[in-house]
């Protein structure tokens, strides 16, 4: 029976089958023709190439990351910044265990030492107490008048001692303020400071006695007594 008469057309053989070439085969399985289902076991070569390229890209990225980590890792044979700083601090001839900071600075937050801090604060307290005591100008004038009376006799103008006592208070207060300011600055700098209130006390005593002495030795009665005693 003729196949054309039955309505069937003879399908021409594929070019690969006719020529016997195996260009479309992968793993021994022929590639499907146009309009056919892929046979079992056939793998698309385009997908295979894409997977291979993706695997190569992943391996290359991983190699680059490993190289970056290796570059950032510190070299154990090279000294670090801390070690280099330690070498600069200690120097080639100094021991590593030595400390450049003075030991006295660590014993007290202020002053050269705790003893210096205590002495300075104590002397400043004594100076402040002296200033408060000098505020009683009437008592200071009375005590001075009694002393002068015992040495030179009664003064002609004892009331002038009260004014001199006021001037003395001002001098003592100004000197104490300067001494306290200077002492605080030296204590913060951790320098020896106890001698500052001592020197300030001597200066304050000398300056505070000036107005009292001026009033006493300018008094006419006192001057007359001094001339009489000296034989003049």
């Amino acid at each position: 029976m003729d196949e054309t008469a039955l309505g069937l057309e003879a399908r021409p053989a594929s070019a690969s089958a006719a020529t016997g070439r195996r260009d479309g085969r992968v793993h021994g399985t022929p590639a499907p023709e146009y309009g056919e289902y892929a046979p079992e076991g056939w793998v698309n070569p385009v997908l295979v190439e894409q997977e291979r390229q993706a695997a190569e890209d992943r391996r290359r990225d991983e190699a680059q990351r490993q190289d970056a980590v290796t570059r950032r890792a510190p070299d154990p044979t090279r000294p670090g910044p801390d070690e280099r700083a330690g070498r600069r601090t200690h120097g080639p001839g100094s021991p590593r265990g030595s400390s450049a900071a003075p030991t006295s600075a660590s014993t007290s937050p202020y002053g050269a030492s705790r003893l210096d801090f205590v002495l300075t604060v104590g002397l400043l307290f004594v100076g402040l107490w002296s200033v408060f005591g000098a505020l009683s100008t009437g008592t200071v004038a009375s005590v001075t008048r009694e002393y002068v009376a015992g040495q030179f006799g009664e003064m002609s103008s004892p009331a002038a001692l009260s004014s001199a006592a006021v001037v003395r208070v001002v001098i003592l207060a100004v000197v104490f303020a300067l001494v306290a300011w200077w002492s605080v600055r030296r204590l913060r700098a951790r320098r020896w400071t106890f001698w500052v209130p001592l020197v300030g006390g001597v200066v304050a005593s000398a300056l505070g006695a000036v107005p009292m002495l001026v009033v006493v030795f300018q008094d006419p009665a006192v001057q007359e007594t001094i001339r009489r005693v000296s034989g003049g």
Side-chain angles (χ1 to χ4, degrees), residues 30-116:
E33 297 294 335
Y34 180 78
E36 291 182 343
Y37 291 105
E40 184 178 359
W42 182 82
V43 180
N44 191 341
V46 177
L47 297 178
V48 173
E49 179 64 21
Q50 291 178 353
E51 292 179 357
R52 185 186 64 80
Q53 187 66 30
E56 290 182 358
D57 293 342
R58 287 194 296 270
R59 286 194 296 269
R60 184 168 57 253
D61 294 341
E62 183 65 24
Q64 291 177 355
R65 285 195 296 269
Q66 292 294 336
D67 185 48
V69 171
T70 304
R71 291 180 182 178
R72 288 196 298 266
D75 188 358
T77 60
R78 297 182 58 188
D82 296 339
E83 186 175 353
R84 289 194 297 268
R87 290 178 181 177
R88 289 194 298 268
T89 302
H90 297 291
S94 61
R96 287 181 175 271
S98 61
S99 176
T103 55
S104 60
S106 60
T107 58
S108 176
Y110 300 105
S113 65
R114 291 182 179 178
L115 179 61
D116 177 65

Side-chain angles (χ1 to χ4, degrees), residues 16 20-32 38-45 48:
S16 61
R21 291 183 301 176
R22 312 175 70 90
D23 297 339
R25 296 190 179 189
V26 179
H27 301 297
T29 302
E40 184 178 359
W42 182 82
V43 180
N44 191 341
V48 173

